[in-house]
């Protein structure tokens, strides 16, 4: 009787849920269909009747970009070129000249030639400006100029480029290029291994696994894993890399979405390599996404000491969806959470300020969580290291300098005016910083702060209202004082800017591989890592 009664109660409830869900789905579907029909008819009428000729492709491209701009920066429409770039990023393989290239309006700038690949063998160097590929002038090319360098393996391409005012030519034989997820691993001393993991492509786990085993075979009893500058990548690779250091069956991350099928718990699938080896993870403000899963999970499980500066704070997961004509849309489908339950997303894209900018989660709104050993950790602002070292002052002026490419240009100039028998002797001084400031000035570096924009806007309004006569002097004084403040801020960021300059300069002489060897000698974060790892008491003190 009780069973029958339960059935009588449950069946109407289930029917109600199904009816509600179906009705909700139908309402959503109707609204989507309605809006698509409105857009389609508007688009047709606009193209048929607008007074001037319209480009349907450009209009759609603008419409898509503006629609997605209201969401988050990771939900993107991907044309066929973008899809291919994503494939290269995920696999680490492509055919080309073997160099990182920046495409400008009238030239292709060699940002970084990869050691022993075709561009390097042909003599190209960072800072070279390619102005012609074959018979095609870059300035006249209407497509994506970087594609001119691609082609079949062993095919040749002739490039014309300028270097320090001289024009040169080079014939480059294209080849298969492999971008390593682990560009470097070595022993720092006789007991400590050092692994650099620069991306989470499909080779990340295999290469990290190999590096870890190799270093242990060389005698490594302690390990440093460097995730600085690593923007992330494939989530499954991150889970398997954590699994190298923690047992099989351990919860590493959870994803939560409005779509139930995307709700997942990620558990370590394999037997680990070493669950006891002392481990330090290095992160910085450019360590994001999968880097934060690795560092955040190992911190939550009290399996590693985290050193460096606060990570980027990307707790959103994307998945590509196939569209027509070879295009895709990459959609943010869920948020991920570390083992303690925290989401480290730092920017709120759904509650923007009056300028339409995503607001950063305020520290007073962070929620506290506990690691396995009971240590307190927080959500909302990236992964906070257990020991903060060398946190840069991320100011408007440093961003403007980096975005201007003047650090890159100064490094190019420096390379052609200095020589070294041993790059490890390089140490930039106050004189070098003074030279860099002069370089900024000679290259007409300038930027307008929000303060200046606001002052100028107020002054322009005062002109319209004919009130400017009495405030012109004060306005000019404010601008003078503001420029003086800019100079002070520039000096306050000296250490950070010298660090960026040093890294770019070192790569000119000894490639990226040599930069990691330079780090082992000079980098304060690696020195601190060794200090922690050399003392079991100090190491365990961080975790307890």
């Amino acid at each position: 009787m009780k069973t029958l009664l339960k059935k009588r109660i449950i069946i109407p409830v289930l029917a109600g849920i199904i009816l509600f869900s179906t009705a909700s789905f139908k309402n959503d579907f109707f609204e989507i269909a309605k809006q698509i029909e409105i857009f389609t008819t508007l688009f047709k009428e606009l193209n048929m009747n607008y007074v001037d000729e319209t480009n349907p492709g450009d209009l759609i491209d603008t419409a898509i970009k503006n629609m997605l701009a209201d969401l988050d920066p990771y939900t993107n429409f991907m044309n066929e070129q973008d899809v291919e770039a994503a494939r290269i990023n995920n696999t680490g393989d492509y055919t080309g000249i073997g160099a990182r290239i920046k495409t400008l309006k009238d030239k292709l700038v060699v940002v970084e030639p990869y050691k022993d690949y075709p561009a390097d063998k042909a003599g190209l160097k960072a800072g070279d400006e390619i102005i012609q590929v074959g018979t095609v002038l870059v300035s006249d090319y209407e497509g994506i100029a970087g594609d001119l360098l691609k082609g079949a393996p062993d095919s040749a391409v002739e490039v014309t480029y300028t270097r320090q005012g001289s024009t040169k030519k080079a014939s480059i034989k294209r080849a298969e290029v492999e971008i390593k997820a682990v560009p470097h691993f070595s022993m720092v001393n006789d007991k400590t291994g050092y692994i650099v993991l620069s991306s989470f492509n499909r080779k990340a786990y295999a290469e990290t696994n190999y590096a870890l085993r190799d270093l242990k075979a060389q005698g490594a009893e302690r390990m440093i894993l460097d995730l600085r500058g690593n923007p992330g990548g494939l989530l499954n690779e991150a889970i398997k890399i954590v699994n190298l250091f923690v047992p099989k069956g351990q919860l590493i991350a959870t994803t939560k979405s409005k779509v139930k099928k995307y709700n997942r718990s990620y558990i370590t699938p394999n037997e680990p390599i070493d669950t006891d080896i002392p481990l330090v993870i290095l992160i910085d403000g450019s360590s994001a996404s999968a880097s934060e899963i690795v560092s955040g999970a190992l911190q939550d499980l009290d399996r590693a000491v985290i050193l460096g500066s606060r990570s980027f704070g990307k707790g959103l997961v994307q998945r590509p969806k196939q569209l027509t004509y070879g295009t895709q849309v990459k959609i943010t489908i869920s948020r991920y959470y570390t083992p303690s339950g925290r989401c480290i997303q730092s920017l709120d894209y759904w509650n923007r300020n009056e300028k339409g900018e995503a607001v950063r989660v305020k520290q007073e709104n962070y929620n506290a969580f506990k690691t396995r050993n009971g240590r307190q950790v927080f959500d909302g602002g990236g992964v906070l290291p257990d020991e903060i070292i060398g946190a840069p002052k991320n100011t408007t002026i440093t961003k403007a300098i980096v975005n201007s490419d003047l650090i890159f240009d100064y490094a190019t100039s420096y390379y052609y005016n200095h020589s070294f028998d041993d790059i490890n002797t390089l140490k930039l001084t106050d004189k070098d910083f003074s030279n860099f400031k002069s370089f900024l000035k000679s290259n007409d570096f300038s930027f307008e702060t929000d303060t200046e924009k606001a002052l100028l806007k107020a002054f322009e309004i005062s002109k319209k209202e004919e009130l400017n006569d009495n405030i012109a002097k004060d306005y000019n004084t404010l601008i003078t004082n503001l420029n003086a403040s800019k100079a002070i801020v520039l000096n306050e960021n000296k250490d950070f800017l010298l660090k960026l300059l040093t890294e770019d300069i070192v790569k000119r002489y000894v490639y990226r591989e040599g930069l990691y060897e330079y780090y082992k000698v000079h980098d304060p974060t690696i020195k601190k890592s060794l200090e922690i790892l050399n003392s079991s008491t100090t190491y365990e003190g961080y975790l307890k």
Side-chain angles (χ1 to χ4, degrees), residues 246-490:
V246 303
K248 181 180 180 180
Q250 173 66 55
L251 175 67
I252 301 302
T254 304
T255 56
K256 297 179 183 179
S257 170
K258 74 173 185 180
V259 181
K260 286 187 178 180
K261 68 178 180 179
Y262 297 143
N263 293 340
R264 284 194 59 185
S265 293
Y266 290 85
I267 310 294
T268 49
N270 307 315
E271 294 299 329
I273 301 299
D274 195 328
T275 59
D276 296 316
I277 189 169
L279 176 65
V280 167
I281 308 289
L282 310 185
I283 61 173
D284 63 12
S286 297
S287 304
S289 189
S291 292
E292 294 171 301
I293 289 173
V294 171
S295 54
L298 291 170
Q299 185 180 52
D300 282 0
L301 298 172
D302 296 303
R303 181 61 190 87
V305 176
I306 314 300
L307 259 63
S309 54
R310 187 187 290 277
S311 65
F312 181 82
K314 180 179 179 287
L316 304 174
V317 181
Q318 287 74 45
R319 176 170 294 188
K321 294 289 184 180
Q322 300 292 332
L323 303 176
T324 56
Y325 298 103
T327 63
Q328 293 181 7
V329 60
K330 188 174 67 171
I331 303 175
T332 296
I333 59 167
S334 56
R335 292 178 175 84
Y336 74 77
Y337 299 79
T338 64
S340 67
R342 56 181 170 148
C343 179
I344 48 77
Q345 177 65 26
S346 63
L347 290 173
D348 185 352
Y349 296 105
W350 299 272
N351 293 290
R352 299 173 181 254
N353 61 22
E354 61 277 2
K355 295 181 182 179
E357 301 167 333
V359 295
R360 186 168 292 277
V361 178
K362 294 181 180 178
Q363 192 164 344
E364 58 263 30
N365 294 328
Y366 290 175
N367 298 299
F369 295 81
K370 296 287 187 181
T371 69
R372 175 173 284 175
N373 288 341
R375 295 186 298 143
Q376 197 172 57
V377 289
F378 297 90
D379 66 0
V383 175
L384 182 67
D386 301 310
E387 178 77 32
I388 297 176
I389 300 173
K393 294 181 178 178
N394 199 9
T395 64
T396 304
I397 194 167
T398 56
K399 287 179 183 177
I401 291 171
V402 170
N403 292 338
S404 70
D405 287 334
L406 289 174
I407 287 176
F408 178 84
D409 293 341
Y410 183 83
T412 301
S413 175
Y414 189 98
Y415 172 76
Y416 289 108
N417 287 284
H418 296 79
S419 60
F420 291 93
D421 293 326
D422 180 6
I423 194 61
N424 283 323
T425 62
L426 170 68
K427 185 171 176 59
L428 298 183
T429 63
D430 289 345
K431 183 180 179 182
D432 291 307
F433 188 62
S434 180
N435 290 339
F436 177 63
K437 289 192 290 185
S438 298
F439 182 81
L440 294 179
K441 189 174 181 179
S442 65
N443 282 273
D444 298 321
F445 169 72
S446 64
F447 74 102
E448 193 175 36
T449 64
D450 286 343
T451 304
E452 283 175 288
K453 291 175 186 175
L455 286 173
L456 178 60
K457 185 177 180 180
F459 189 60
E460 291 298 326
I461 291 172
S462 74
K463 287 181 180 179
K464 292 178 182 178
E465 296 177 344
E466 299 182 356
L467 299 171
N468 58 300
D469 290 346
N470 294 326
I471 65 173
K473 183 178 179 181
D474 291 334
Y475 171 76
N476 291 329
T477 301
L478 282 170
I479 295 299
T480 300
N481 291 339
L482 194 56
N483 287 329
S485 296
K486 285 185 188 179
I488 293 170
V489 171
L490 186 64

